[in-house]
Amino acid sequence: MALAQYQKMRRLSLAVLLLAAFVLLLFVGASGNEEVHDMVEALGLGFIVIGIVGRMWCTLYIGGRKSAEIVVTGPYSVTRNPLYVFSSIAAAGVGAQTGSVTIALLFLVGCAAAFHIVIVREESFLRDEFGPAYARYLATVPRFVPKPSLFRDEAELRVQTKLIYRTLTDGLVFFVAMPVFELIELAQASGLLPVFLRLP
């Protein structure tokens, strides 16, 4: 199966996960006072920004090169899957827009778990494609949790600007969570949507 198909599977996995989570969250609310609720939402906004900027940073290095060579510098020097790491951080930020730390953590873990399935398949493809060079990369750089001490960079990068813009546009979708969850909270507060569970 081509790498493009794996990437399509990655996007589909995330979309299905977010849709299922959204349906469940129609009937789940945050417990705790308003001050804590607002603080969790604000931290979540920070996570969304980190996720979007991180994804753009990854695209600077991997854009247009993923199926042609093994990228081992920049974010790819500290984790083999930084795009997925930053997407998971942004997903935690989306969950935090409910005002619940528990839901933010569930979004983080759920997103990382969905990506794990895709990562295992991608690794099999890349191992066949790049052989011993990729095996060395597997042996030295962690799969998911970054190891900053491994960081190394390039003096110069050749960048495809259209891919940077596409990554930014894709990332902006995470911000949709803010008005959506505010509307859900209003519907719950007015009694239009019942709340079956409250989480801290």
Side-chain angles (χ1 to χ4, degrees):
M1 189 184 291
L3 189 58
Q5 290 174 289
Y6 289 122
Q7 292 168 334
K8 185 177 178 182
M9 185 190 308
R10 175 197 72 194
R11 288 190 290 271
L12 182 61
S13 298
L14 184 58
V16 168
L17 181 69
L18 289 175
L19 180 62
F22 173 74
V23 171
L24 289 173
L25 289 176
L26 290 174
F27 310 104
V28 176
S31 63
N33 63 45
E34 194 66 28
E35 189 176 302
V36 171
H37 185 280
D38 291 345
M39 185 179 71
V40 171
E41 284 183 345
L43 286 171
L45 177 59
F47 286 151
I48 290 172
V49 171
I50 290 168
I52 292 171
V53 171
R55 285 168 49 86
M56 291 176 67
W57 181 38
C58 295
T59 303
L60 287 173
Y61 288 81
I62 201 77
R65 299 166 64 187
K66 190 165 186 174
S67 56
E69 61 185 283
I70 304 168
V71 177
V72 297
T73 55
Y76 292 88
S77 65
V78 296
T79 172
R80 299 196 305 265
N81 297 283
L83 266 170
Y84 300 155
V85 171
F86 285 115
S87 294
S88 297
I89 290 169
V94 168
Q97 295 313 301
T98 63
S100 166
V101 173
T102 303
I103 294 172
L105 290 173
L106 287 172
F107 268 54
L108 174 68
V109 172
C111 193
F115 284 140
H116 176 76
I117 296 165
V118 180
I119 287 169
V120 170
R121 294 188 179 187
E122 280 186 347
E123 284 178 353
S124 175
F125 172 86
L126 293 168
R127 195 179 288 113
D128 291 344
E129 190 75 11
F130 295 109
Y134 188 68
R136 284 192 296 275
Y137 182 57
L138 287 175
T140 56
V141 178
R143 174 182 278 168
F144 197 80
V145 178
K147 188 175 180 184
S149 63
L150 295 175
F151 183 77
R152 57 197 175 109
D153 212 347
E154 296 182 45
E156 234 175 72
L157 290 172
R158 185 179 175 124
V159 177
Q160 292 189 27
T161 52
K162 69 176 181 180
L163 296 178
I164 301 294
Y165 295 139
R166 185 184 308 156
T167 301
L168 174 61
T169 305
D170 289 347
L172 292 176
V173 171
F174 288 111
F175 284 118
V176 172
M178 296 170 70
V180 166
F181 284 122
E182 286 299 323
L183 286 172
I184 290 172
E185 285 176 19
L186 284 172
Q188 290 174 343
S190 66
L192 291 173
L193 285 174
V195 178
F196 298 126
L197 177 65
R198 291 203 175 272
L199 297 171

